[in-house]
Amino acid sequence: MEGKGIDGKLLLLEKSDEISSDEISHLAIDIGGSLIKIVYFSTNSKCSTKDEAPALSKERQEVPNGDLNYHILSGRLYFVKFETSKIEDCIKVLASKKLQQCGAQCRHSHAVDKIKIKATGGGAFKFADLFKEKLGITLDKVEEMESLVAGANFLLKAVNREAFTYIGGQKEYVQIDQNDLYPYLLVNIGSGVSMIKVDGEGKFQRVSGTSVGGGTFLGLGKLLTKCKSFDELLELSHQGNSRVIDMLVGDICGGMDYTKIGLASTAIASSFGKAISENKELEDYKPEDIARSLLRMISNNIGQIAYLNALRFGLKRIILGGYFIRDHAYTMDTIAVAVDFWSKGEAKAMFLRHEGFLGALGAFMSYKDENADLMPLQLVEQQPPKSSSCIVDRIHNSTCVHENETGAVDCRLRVSSSFKIYDEVKRC
Amino acid sequence: MEGKGIDGKLLLLEKSDEISSDEISHLAIDIGGSLIKIVYFSTNSKCSTKDEAPALSKERQEVPNGDLNYHILSGRLYFVKFETSKIEDCIKVLASKKLQQCGAQCRHSHAVDKIKIKATGGGAFKFADLFKEKLGITLDKVEEMESLVAGANFLLKAVNREAFTYIGGQKEYVQIDQNDLYPYLLVNIGSGVSMIKVDGEGKFQRVSGTSVGGGTFLGLGKLLTKCKSFDELLELSHQGNSRVIDMLVGDICGGMDYTKIGLASTAIASSFGKAISENKELEDYKPEDIARSLLRMISNNIGQIAYLNALRFGLKRIILGGYFIRDHAYTMDTIAVAVDFWSKGEAKAMFLRHEGFLGALGAFMSYKDENADLMPLQLVEQQPPKSSSCIVDRIHNSTCVHENETGAVDCRLRVSSSFKIYDEVKRC
């Protein structure tokens, strides 16, 4: 199981204990076709990263304006994921936590039915009975697109150094002017791909999508290379050469000048096209070359369809979410180049550090005070980077994980006494 | 080697002799990444189909207006293909013909350099030296997009019962009003896919394309199923079930109603997505299911990108060419449904009986009188079908090949004495 703090550092949560128990006050879940993503808030300062943990407060605080109905909890948001196929593991981990213990203790009280976790993704429907049966918890369903959009809007507005472009092998963080954020195209690459035109808070429309997404990469990749996991396949692709199997324009045309129709001789004419004419079998190809061609085919296709949809609605900004990219340089480069190529530089692909957690974050944000329509989450802005070198991360391969990032993001949760989950948990 | 007459009937040309020798007066070639397509005109009435051959004339005829510089040859256009990887076979067949014998006999005359064959496709550049060396023939290159467009325009305008829609498993021939033909989107699916906005004779622009095309189907298909040929793979896909490997919306969401975002539970959420979570290896899947999913993924993707480009330019008609579809019901259905779904019924996919020969036909059409810009080819209109049942072919599976078609299309070639190839051949 892997997780990461809001600062983008990977926290390896090797034991279930690593999701701190009594500190969890709010938790939301996004159950997709391939992955379960969980976002939870904890006041626990336990952290396996080396950077200094922010001063965290377990205590309820009165809000400055003296409104006693509201309290502020300081803490940190955590992000963890499981494979959907291992949902039993996920349930076991949750079962061992106080949130669940609470559910169990309250089983015979009237409160039992009120223990709800905000949940989104198709699996929130499919696995609702399982959660009820095993954990006594009701999944309080939040519409998937709504969650994705809320999560993306939150990240883009509230979290510093969240969005970045990737041009010529260089990452450049972009702080988008909030007055200039909308409209944008949100491309969420999960097992499949959804493309959503976002016009504002809660204002959006699913305009397109494609079935050629992360599930295709891993599904086809497993069949072709015997890799067992997405990350293994990504790592493999890093060492491969797509020219071995892809048919390039130059392979078809010899020395012909194809530039007048806008194609370089190194452009891919046909993905996997070289495999048609050679007397080679699957075993004769290196798995890394196959993984590379597959990744390029899918990334390029997503970039192209995203661009065509952005063009359709005059959107200059394409924000990529989902758990497909994973900070992988070649994937980002392929998508960014595809968008740049097809749009002739007019549109830009932008990536998110917390790309995989849009849905879960959005579901988390939907914990609202029932008496007032107030966002429960408030973020204290990250401290400015200590040196200018922190502003732009220049990464040259996919293994570099935000070396220059040191600032953690404090998170404050505004909680009212009428706020269901919090109260349920605390009462127990 | 396979060929088909202009009437759409497959002529199996099992021996090289089947390309008649002394009867060939004009021949054009399209050398693509996967296939070599040849169109030739012959006055030979030899034909392996059972329908009555039209009355063909070998003699030169004076044109009715008495212009002695022009003659009319009656005959038939033939269409044959080879795999590009077997180009040597193609050259051997051509070498055994009078066209080549002529070239050989003339080797020491000044005429040798004047023997030219109109050629298009990337391979016309790549294999130019090979044709010169082995056959003494110069490939007179015709720009690829130009050829595709000329070929498509010719078929759409001149050949009866050429274009058809495919809706609900039914083929419906459409004779397009020539005044209402332009603009349309020509989608040529070869190894890769080119998308061309056609505005008139010789007026066009390549607006898009995708590397996920016929080469991807065969390349990935060979690696995944061990099929050796495109047709074998297509036939295999006919027996398969894509739901075995594709992750459907219903697989992710259980009973959730996804219709509000326009997705049915049977829609594919992720192509090959089911392969991610199962402990199955390639050998555990049926090749036919893999072939089916692959065909659906690629066909759907092409349909979607085609629609997005048609939308971009306000084109209602999407004409599919290339050698990908091959009258295969499932492919046509997938593309037609994709275009219909994404366009909400606004745009229509239309297929062509001679889809594979647009480029070769266009190159053939480019044999022009050097003194006058006249099309050398004139078609005598096909006789109207004998019964109304001929108008609409209702085919329910991919094995039914135009049962109701009986009318052959006579073809007349208008030839002038200044017309190079014809003269070269006749002189020898």
Side-chain angles (χ1 to χ4, degrees):
Chain A
M1 189 174 76
E2 280 184 356
K4 56 180 174 177
I6 191 80
D7 58 348
K9 282 210 167 58
L10 279 174
L11 306 178
L12 289 174
L13 304 178
E14 286 165 6
K15 299 175 198 162
S16 62
D17 291 341
E18 302 273 2
I19 289 189
S20 64
S21 52
D22 51 359
E23 313 298 340
I24 296 180
S25 57
H26 295 76
L27 181 149
I29 190 164
D30 173 8
I31 311 177
S34 311
L35 293 171
I36 298 171
K37 283 81 61 174
I38 294 176
V39 171
Y40 71 95
F41 175 81
S42 174
T43 54
N44 188 354
S45 60
K46 191 174 177 182
C47 175
S48 64
T49 60
K50 288 176 187 162
D51 60 308
E52 62 281 27
L56 300 175
S57 160
K58 291 184 188 180
E59 299 90 50
R60 291 187 179 202
Q61 296 174 351
E62 286 185 16
V63 284
N65 66 7
D67 182 346
L68 292 175
N69 290 323
Y70 290 92
H71 305 274
I72 298 291
L73 280 178
S74 292
R76 191 179 251 184
L77 275 180
Y78 286 91
F79 302 81
V80 291
K81 71 175 167 73
F82 298 81
E83 288 178 29
T84 305
S85 59
K86 295 174 183 166
I87 192 163
E88 295 287 350
D89 290 352
C90 170
I91 283 175
K92 272 182 206 158
V93 170
L94 293 177
S96 68
K97 302 306 158 200
K98 202 163 204 173
L99 187 68
Q100 164 52 14
Q101 285 163 17
C102 162
Q105 286 163 11
C106 299
R107 194 171 290 277
H108 301 292
S109 79
H110 291 300
V112 62
D113 293 333
K114 291 180 184 171
I115 298 179
K116 289 180 179 175
I117 290 179
K118 292 286 184 187
T120 189
F125 294 81
K126 187 175 177 181
F127 298 110
D129 291 346
L130 192 69
F131 273 75
K132 190 77 187 167
E133 179 197 333
K134 302 266 183 181
L135 296 170
I137 285 175
T138 300
L139 296 184
D140 187 12
K141 296 165 199 74
V142 187
E143 202 277 319
E144 187 170 356
M145 300 299 137
E146 216 164 274
S147 302
L148 289 172
V149 171
N153 283 346
F154 169 72
L155 288 172
L156 290 166
K157 285 181 172 177
V159 182
N160 204 3
R161 303 182 69 202
E162 175 65 35
F164 57 90
T165 57
Y166 193 80
I167 299 164
Q170 296 190 348
K171 235 176 199 185
E172 187 147 351
Y173 285 100
V174 178
Q175 196 65 43
I176 303 168
D177 179 351
Q178 296 200 18
N179 297 321
D180 188 34
L181 175 59
Y182 308 112
Y184 66 88
L185 187 73
L186 176 60
V187 177
N188 195 67
I189 316 175
S191 302
V193 183
S194 283
M195 302 194 183
I196 306 164
K197 176 174 174 268
V198 182
D199 291 301
E201 289 290 345
K203 288 167 69 181
F204 62 89
Q205 184 192 357
R206 186 187 194 274
V207 292
S208 197
T210 164
S211 70
V212 187
T216 313
F217 179 58
L218 182 53
L220 266 178
K222 278 177 99 166
L223 296 181
L224 289 163
T225 69
K226 301 197 189 301
C227 270
K228 294 291 179 201
S229 76
F230 196 98
D231 289 321
E232 194 187 341
L233 197 59
L234 264 190
E235 180 58 31
L236 196 66
S237 76
H238 188 57
Q239 307 149 34
N241 179 359
S242 71
R243 295 185 184 193
V244 175
I245 311 175
D246 290 340
M247 186 187 280
L248 307 187
V249 168
D251 293 325
I252 301 179
C253 307
M256 188 184 122
D257 178 16
Y258 248 57
T259 50
K260 81 174 189 179
I261 56 166
L263 294 178
S265 66
T266 53
I268 296 181
S270 176
S271 295
F272 289 90
K274 267 193 195 141
I276 66 171
S277 57
E278 294 175 11
N279 292 322
K280 283 185 178 178
E281 303 210 340
L282 182 54
E283 299 70 36
D284 300 319
Y285 289 100
K286 288 187 193 167
E288 49 265 45
D289 296 335
I290 290 176
R292 185 86 162 190
S293 287
L294 193 59
L295 184 59
R296 183 158 175 179
M297 176 180 87
I298 294 171
S299 301
N300 190 57
N301 196 61
I302 291 171
Q304 181 178 13
I305 295 177
Y307 153 70
L308 285 166
N309 279 290
L311 180 72
R312 194 177 150 192
F313 297 106
L315 311 173
K316 300 288 182 203
R317 220 175 262 142
I318 296 170
I319 309 280
L320 283 298
Y323 223 125
F324 177 71
I325 294 166
R326 304 183 185 197
D327 211 43
H328 192 264
Y330 189 68
T331 312
M332 293 190 287
D333 191 59
T334 306
I335 293 177
V337 166
V339 168
D340 187 71
F341 171 82
W342 289 109
S343 74
K344 297 187 173 72
E346 289 289 304
K348 281 275 169 287
M350 297 182 68
F351 307 93
L352 299 175
R353 275 196 299 143
H354 296 89
E355 58 158 17
F357 294 94
L358 305 190
L361 256 176
F364 189 93
M365 311 288 292
S366 72
Y367 282 116
K368 281 187 178 154
D369 183 342
E370 291 190 346
N371 297 322
D373 192 29
L374 283 172
M375 193 87 75
L377 206 66
Q378 291 182 323
L379 273 183
V380 173
E381 272 291 321
Q382 187 178 6
Q383 292 301 307
K386 285 172 188 163
S387 77
S388 62
S389 70
C390 297
I391 296 175
V392 179
D393 277 350
R394 295 172 191 275
I395 69 167
H396 300 287
N397 63 57
S398 64
T399 58
C400 172
V401 183
H402 307 293
E403 278 183 340
N404 290 327
E405 291 190 283
T406 53
V409 178
D410 288 343
C411 182
R412 292 188 186 176
L413 207 58
R414 175 166 161 157
V415 184
S416 82
S417 54
S418 66
F419 196 64
K420 288 293 178 195
I421 279 203
Y422 181 81
D423 283 354
E424 292 297 340
V425 176
K426 289 295 165 186
R427 268 186 219 139
C428 295
Chain B
M1 190 175 77
E2 280 184 357
K4 56 178 172 178
I6 190 80
D7 58 348
K9 282 209 167 59
L10 279 173
L11 307 178
L12 290 172
L13 303 179
E14 287 165 4
K15 299 175 196 162
S16 62
D17 290 340
E18 303 271 3
I19 289 189
S20 64
S21 52
D22 52 358
E23 312 298 341
I24 296 179
S25 57
H26 295 77
L27 181 150
I29 189 165
D30 173 8
I31 311 178
S34 311
L35 293 171
I36 297 171
K37 284 80 61 174
I38 293 176
V39 171
Y40 71 96
F41 176 80
S42 175
T43 55
N44 188 351
S45 60
K46 192 173 176 181
C47 174
S48 65
T49 59
K50 287 178 187 163
D51 61 310
E52 62 280 24
L56 300 175
S57 160
K58 292 183 189 180
E59 298 90 51
R60 291 186 178 202
Q61 295 174 350
E62 285 185 17
V63 285
N65 67 6
D67 181 347
L68 291 176
N69 290 325
Y70 290 93
H71 306 272
I72 298 289
L73 280 177
S74 293
R76 190 179 251 184
L77 275 180
Y78 287 91
F79 302 81
V80 292
K81 72 175 167 73
F82 299 81
E83 289 177 28
T84 305
S85 58
K86 295 175 183 166
I87 192 164
E88 296 287 349
D89 290 352
C90 170
I91 283 175
K92 271 182 208 159
V93 170
L94 293 177
S96 69
K97 304 303 158 200
K98 204 166 203 173
L99 186 68
Q100 162 53 13
Q101 285 162 16
C102 163
Q105 286 163 9
C106 298
R107 193 171 290 277
H108 302 291
S109 80
H110 290 301
V112 63
D113 292 334
K114 292 180 182 169
I115 299 178
K116 289 179 179 174
I117 290 179
K118 292 286 183 187
T120 190
F125 294 80
K126 186 174 178 182
F127 298 110
D129 291 346
L130 191 70
F131 273 76
K132 192 75 186 169
E133 181 197 331
K134 302 267 183 181
L135 296 169
I137 285 175
T138 300
L139 296 185
D140 187 12
K141 296 163 198 76
V142 187
E143 202 276 317
E144 187 171 354
M145 300 299 138
E146 216 164 274
S147 301
L148 288 172
V149 171
N153 283 345
F154 169 71
L155 288 171
L156 291 167
K157 284 180 173 179
V159 181
N160 204 3
R161 303 183 66 198
E162 176 65 35
F164 57 91
T165 56
Y166 192 81
I167 299 164
Q170 296 190 347
K171 233 177 202 186
E172 186 147 352
Y173 284 101
V174 179
Q175 196 65 42
I176 303 168
D177 179 350
Q178 295 200 17
N179 296 321
D180 188 35
L181 176 58
Y182 307 112
Y184 66 88
L185 186 73
L186 177 59
V187 177
N188 195 67
I189 316 174
S191 302
V193 183
S194 283
M195 301 193 183
I196 307 164
K197 176 173 175 270
V198 182
D199 291 301
E201 289 290 346
K203 289 168 67 180
F204 62 89
Q205 184 193 357
R206 186 186 193 275
V207 292
S208 197
T210 165
S211 69
V212 187
T216 313
F217 179 58
L218 182 53
L220 266 178
K222 278 177 97 167
L223 296 180
L224 288 163
T225 69
K226 300 197 189 301
C227 269
K228 294 292 178 200
S229 76
F230 196 100
D231 288 321
E232 196 187 340
L233 197 59
L234 264 190
E235 180 57 32
L236 196 67
S237 76
H238 188 57
Q239 307 149 35
N241 179 359
S242 71
R243 296 186 183 191
V244 175
I245 311 176
D246 290 340
M247 186 187 280
L248 306 188
V249 168
D251 293 325
I252 301 179
C253 307
M256 187 185 123
D257 179 16
Y258 248 57
T259 49
K260 82 174 189 180
I261 57 165
L263 293 177
S265 66
T266 52
I268 296 182
S270 176
S271 295
F272 289 90
K274 266 191 196 145
I276 66 171
S277 57
E278 294 174 12
N279 292 323
K280 282 186 179 178
E281 303 210 341
L282 182 55
E283 300 70 38
D284 300 320
Y285 289 100
K286 288 187 193 167
E288 49 265 45
D289 295 336
I290 290 176
R292 184 85 161 190
S293 286
L294 192 59
L295 184 59
R296 183 157 174 180
M297 176 180 88
I298 295 171
S299 301
N300 190 57
N301 197 61
I302 292 171
Q304 181 178 13
I305 295 177
Y307 153 70
L308 285 166
N309 278 290
L311 181 71
R312 194 177 150 193
F313 298 106
L315 312 173
K316 299 287 182 203
R317 219 175 262 141
I318 297 170
I319 310 279
L320 283 297
Y323 223 125
F324 177 71
I325 296 166
R326 302 184 187 197
D327 211 44
H328 192 264
Y330 189 68
T331 312
M332 293 190 287
D333 191 59
T334 307
I335 293 177
V337 166
V339 168
D340 187 71
F341 172 82
W342 290 109
S343 74
K344 296 186 173 71
E346 288 289 303
K348 281 274 169 291
M350 297 181 68
F351 307 94
L352 299 175
R353 276 197 297 143
H354 295 90
E355 58 158 16
F357 294 94
L358 305 189
L361 255 176
F364 189 94
M365 310 288 292
S366 73
Y367 282 117
K368 281 187 179 154
D369 183 341
E370 292 191 346
N371 297 321
D373 192 29
L374 284 171
M375 191 90 77
L377 205 67
Q378 292 182 322
L379 274 182
V380 173
E381 273 291 325
Q382 187 178 6
Q383 293 300 308
K386 286 171 187 164
S387 77
S388 62
S389 70
C390 298
I391 295 175
V392 179
D393 277 350
R394 295 172 192 274
I395 70 168
H396 300 287
N397 63 57
S398 65
T399 58
C400 172
V401 182
H402 308 296
E403 279 184 340
N404 290 327
E405 291 190 285
T406 53
V409 177
D410 288 341
C411 181
R412 292 187 185 177
L413 207 57
R414 176 166 160 159
V415 183
S416 83
S417 54
S418 65
F419 197 63
K420 289 291 179 196
I421 280 203
Y422 181 81
D423 283 353
E424 292 297 340
V425 177
K426 288 296 164 185
R427 267 186 221 139
C428 295

